[in-house]
Amino acid sequence: METRVAINVLRDRLKKLEIFRHLSESETALLLENLHYKELRKGNILYREGCYLNKVILLFDGVVKQKKCGSKGKELIIRFAKGGEILGFRSFLTEELACATAEVMEDVKVAYIEGSCLTQLMKSNSNFSMIMMKHVCGELSATQTFILNVAQKTVRERVAEGLVQLKEVFDVDDDCNLKIPLSRRDLANVVGTVPESVIRMLADFKKENLIEVNGRRIRLMNIQKLTRIGSVAM
Amino acid sequence: METRVAINVLRDRLKKLEIFRHLSESETALLLENLHYKELRKGNILYREGCYLNKVILLFDGVVKQKKCGSKGKELIIRFAKGGEILGFRSFLTEELACATAEVMEDVKVAYIEGSCLTQLMKSNSNFSMIMMKHVCGELSATQTFILNVAQKTVRERVAEGLVQLKEVFDVDDDCNLKIPLSRRDLANVVGTVPESVIRMLADFKKENLIEVNGRRIRLMNIQKLTRIGSVAM
DNA sequence: CGAACATTTGATACTATTCAAGAAAGGTGG
DNA sequence: CCACCTTTCTTGAATAGTATCAAATGTTCG
């Protein structure tokens, strides 16, 4: 499934990403040498929870879900990554085993980057280092907020918030349909519940005219109210 | 409540900390110039959720709890920090508002470090930068694991795991008594439930001869079993 | 078409929270 | 040092929210 891509096309792509935009020519060149381009289809696994990572994955395009497997086999989706984001950096850096499995949700274009190369760049370019640091800090912040949600909100609140958050991450089309079609199971795994409960909530929201459901297409009709429900301002 | 401490005492303390051990003499000197020593008693707030932080707090000694306030006023303790750890770094770096309140649990000796000073050190010393990065990554890792716990485990499981985790963080004395005495409310806020539920679980564990309870002193009598309950290997 | 999988609905069981009320502990001021 | 007040802890009973289970219906795809 590997695809040939001209090196200057890759260079252009790198230059467009916030993370790598500020690298010098020689640094970009170094990156390009240590980079392995690939295209993968839905369902493929980029890496598995428990694996050792010596590469970091740069996502040019597509969507990846990072899921963690709970003790009873129930999975929890801890993050969706889309174009421009990086995967596996934390595991690589701390040299811990990957704490999540990364699975392709929408066909992706990725680059596997040699971890040592990133380390080198961070050591030599303190600005780049800072950018990466901020990245990780941002993720930490999001994760800590996420905890409060799962810990204290009801399923109703979490589903409402989940929908709004999906809108933030993946945007909606002109009709306010979520651009990413998720199975009920995935949606359940995002908000930490079971598919049945998600279905009931969606049915409720439909009755309340907050959403319209058409299979996996969900149209957000009253984002404000959904947000309110999700933030428990009710 | 500020206390005078000789500068070479401070220098020695810094040198003992993993984070700052590898700084050069001049870097340590810079740090000492930008550092403000303080001792604070239990109950004091180091900083509040929602505040802007331009300083980072270095904890020499004592215990601090970081709590987040949930939407219904219920708080959740997301981390205990003890000697050698740093607080507020993430908020400072991303220039976001503090996402948690830091409250003293056991009298602390801290140093407020000018954030700009840390930034400077990170820019000039890539090793230091890496150490800080790993620190943040480690926190991220812990937080992501924590999510699974609150999201999928029962109260029984979470309390069991909470006890074991407290042992890891704060250790136990010769009799396996947890060295940190927590109120039922705090314990509840750690595992994401209400005090009543914690009490019932502690009572259960007592019946099962897993723990001994004496007010706020909790003695872990069967750590293995508690661990098993907490990890749901049952 | 049939098999596998996803969605939906209803009935049921269970866990955990809430509420209320009393007991114990800790702190304060006379 | 004791009486009083406040807070924390504990227990029981009622309730609400979710998960689980089972079964029916839809959907997808080889």
Side-chain angles (χ1 to χ4, degrees):
Chain A
M1 184 67 73
E2 181 161 354
T3 316
R4 287 251 147 262
V5 175
I7 199 134
N8 45 351
V9 172
L10 272 184
R11 191 199 317 274
D12 285 352
R13 284 205 181 138
L14 285 178
K15 283 291 183 191
K16 277 192 199 130
L17 300 179
E18 201 219 316
I19 302 180
F20 297 112
R21 189 180 304 168
H22 303 291
L23 292 184
S24 71
E25 285 309 313
S26 65
E27 286 168 334
T28 307
L30 175 69
L31 198 56
L32 284 167
E33 276 168 32
N34 286 281
L35 169 161
H36 186 71
Y37 182 78
K38 243 183 177 179
E39 297 186 357
L40 291 167
R41 301 197 154 277
K42 177 169 180 166
N44 276 296
I45 305 290
L46 292 169
Y47 57 82
R48 277 180 202 283
E49 189 170 355
C51 283
Y52 174 75
L53 294 181
N54 52 8
K55 293 194 171 62
V56 169
I57 292 163
L58 170 59
L59 190 55
F60 288 117
D61 205 38
V63 177
V64 172
K65 70 174 172 189
Q66 277 185 305
K67 59 185 183 181
K68 258 177 102 64
C69 193
S71 29
K72 293 151 195 147
K74 213 194 269 182
E75 72 178 39
L76 185 74
I77 297 178
I78 56 172
R79 177 192 170 203
F80 286 109
K82 52 179 180 173
E85 298 187 39
I86 277 193
L87 294 157
F89 179 68
R90 186 204 61 70
S91 304
F92 156 70
L93 200 78
T94 58
E95 289 167 6
E96 284 172 24
L97 303 179
C99 80
T101 296
E103 180 186 327
V104 178
M105 290 220 50
E106 283 181 2
D107 301 2
V108 292
K109 300 177 180 177
V110 300
Y112 285 83
I113 302 174
E114 216 48 64
S116 55
C117 169
L118 277 189
T119 312
Q120 202 175 327
L121 286 175
M122 282 188 289
K123 292 216 169 179
S124 63
N125 182 335
S126 64
N127 281 325
F128 176 67
S129 179
M130 279 308 234
I131 290 175
M132 291 304 292
M133 180 89 91
K134 286 190 183 176
H135 233 253
V136 178
C137 284
E139 239 188 282
L140 178 58
S141 161
T143 309
Q144 287 180 340
T145 303
F146 186 40
I147 288 188
L148 261 199
N149 292 343
V150 250
Q152 302 188 339
K153 293 185 183 173
T154 63
V155 168
R156 177 181 164 87
E157 289 155 7
R158 299 205 300 272
V159 172
E161 202 197 21
L163 292 175
V164 176
Q165 215 134 45
L166 286 175
K167 171 192 153 288
E168 301 301 331
V169 180
F170 296 112
D171 218 347
V172 286
D173 66 15
D174 300 333
D175 273 346
C176 273
N177 287 302
L178 285 176
K179 277 191 184 162
I180 184 168
L182 285 185
S183 72
R184 301 293 186 258
R185 173 165 302 282
D186 274 340
L187 199 43
N189 289 340
V190 170
V191 300
T193 182
V194 290
E196 293 95 320
S197 295
V198 167
I199 288 163
R200 287 180 232 274
M201 285 310 144
L202 291 181
D204 286 356
F205 291 157
K206 210 158 90 178
K207 275 201 203 88
E208 300 171 43
N209 276 315
L210 302 176
I211 60 172
E212 237 172 54
V213 181
N214 206 312
R216 292 189 178 178
R217 282 251 160 261
I218 298 177
R219 180 168 166 223
L220 308 184
M221 300 174 70
N222 191 337
I223 294 171
Q224 204 175 9
K225 182 95 186 280
L226 283 172
T227 308
R228 220 171 32 231
I229 294 174
S231 335
V232 205
M234 305 241 41
Chain B
M1 184 69 72
E2 182 160 353
T3 315
R4 286 249 147 263
V5 174
I7 199 136
N8 44 350
V9 172
L10 273 183
R11 193 198 317 271
D12 285 352
R13 285 204 180 139
L14 284 178
K15 283 292 183 189
K16 276 192 201 131
L17 300 179
E18 203 220 315
I19 301 180
F20 297 112
R21 190 181 303 168
H22 303 292
L23 291 185
S24 72
E25 286 309 313
S26 65
E27 286 168 334
T28 308
L30 175 69
L31 199 56
L32 284 167
E33 275 169 32
N34 286 281
L35 170 160
H36 186 71
Y37 182 77
K38 243 185 175 177
E39 296 186 357
L40 291 166
R41 301 198 155 275
K42 178 169 179 166
N44 276 296
I45 304 289
L46 291 169
Y47 58 82
R48 280 182 200 283
E49 189 171 354
C51 283
Y52 174 76
L53 294 180
N54 52 7
K55 293 193 172 60
V56 169
I57 292 163
L58 171 59
L59 191 55
F60 287 118
D61 206 38
V63 177
V64 172
K65 72 174 172 189
Q66 278 184 303
K67 60 185 182 181
K68 259 177 103 64
C69 193
S71 28
K72 293 151 195 147
K74 211 193 271 183
E75 72 179 38
L76 186 74
I77 297 177
I78 57 171
R79 177 190 172 204
F80 285 110
K82 53 180 180 173
E85 298 188 38
I86 277 193
L87 293 158
F89 178 69
R90 186 203 60 69
S91 303
F92 157 70
L93 200 78
T94 57
E95 289 166 5
E96 284 172 24
L97 303 178
C99 80
T101 296
E103 180 186 327
V104 177
M105 290 220 53
E106 283 182 4
D107 301 2
V108 292
K109 301 176 178 175
V110 299
Y112 286 83
I113 302 174
E114 216 49 63
S116 54
C117 169
L118 278 190
T119 312
Q120 203 175 326
L121 286 176
M122 282 189 290
K123 292 215 170 181
S124 63
N125 183 335
S126 64
N127 282 325
F128 176 68
S129 178
M130 278 308 234
I131 290 176
M132 292 304 291
M133 179 88 93
K134 284 190 185 179
H135 233 254
V136 179
C137 285
E139 239 189 282
L140 178 58
S141 159
T143 308
Q144 286 179 341
T145 303
F146 187 40
I147 288 188
L148 260 199
N149 292 345
V150 249
Q152 302 188 338
K153 292 187 183 172
T154 63
V155 169
R156 177 182 166 87
E157 290 155 6
R158 298 205 300 271
V159 173
E161 203 199 20
L163 292 175
V164 176
Q165 215 134 47
L166 286 175
K167 171 192 154 288
E168 302 300 331
V169 180
F170 296 112
D171 219 346
V172 287
D173 66 15
D174 300 332
D175 273 347
C176 274
N177 287 301
L178 285 177
K179 278 190 183 162
I180 185 167
L182 285 184
S183 72
R184 302 291 186 258
R185 173 165 303 283
D186 274 341
L187 199 43
N189 289 340
V190 170
V191 301
T193 182
V194 290
E196 292 97 319
S197 296
V198 168
I199 288 163
R200 287 180 232 274
M201 285 311 142
L202 291 181
D204 285 357
F205 291 156
K206 209 159 88 179
K207 275 200 203 90
E208 299 171 45
N209 276 312
L210 302 175
I211 61 172
E212 238 172 54
V213 181
N214 206 312
R216 292 189 179 179
R217 283 250 158 262
I218 297 178
R219 180 167 166 227
L220 308 184
M221 301 174 69
N222 192 338
I223 294 172
Q224 205 175 7
K225 183 96 187 278
L226 282 172
T227 307
R228 220 171 31 231
I229 294 174
S231 333
V232 206
M234 304 242 41

